[in-house]
Amino acid sequence: MDSKQPEVVQGERDVTARLSLPSAPELIAVLPPKGACWYCDKPLDAVRRFCGRNCSAAYAEEVLYQG
């Protein structure tokens, strides 16, 4: 049984959908694969940059707010 309530899960999907920023693909494309997620440092293969959409969106959001 999933421990998250349906409203929370839907809210996370809404946040991810809203964060599909136009400049996010350009930001992510310049990152070299490093064997770990650029946002949470979870181990990955040598090709992927993020472990999932949430980490990708969170990374793009942070980059946009930092600069």
Side-chain angles (χ1 to χ4, degrees):
M1 183 171 184
D2 193 5
S3 62
K4 292 186 178 182
Q5 296 176 353
E7 299 85 28
V8 174
V9 173
Q10 182 59 40
E12 288 176 358
R13 289 183 189 138
D14 293 342
V15 168
T16 303
R18 281 192 311 249
L19 292 176
S20 51
L21 306 166
S23 60
E26 291 86 18
L27 293 171
I28 293 168
V30 298
L31 296 174
K34 66 175 190 174
C37 177
W38 276 88
Y39 186 71
C40 70
D41 288 329
K42 177 182 175 183
L44 299 172
D45 58 20
V47 178
R48 295 173 51 198
R49 293 168 178 88
F50 297 97
C51 58
R53 289 183 189 158
N54 288 339
C55 282
S56 177
Y59 181 86
E61 181 182 19
E62 279 190 14
V63 168
L64 291 175
Y65 284 119
Q66 287 176 358

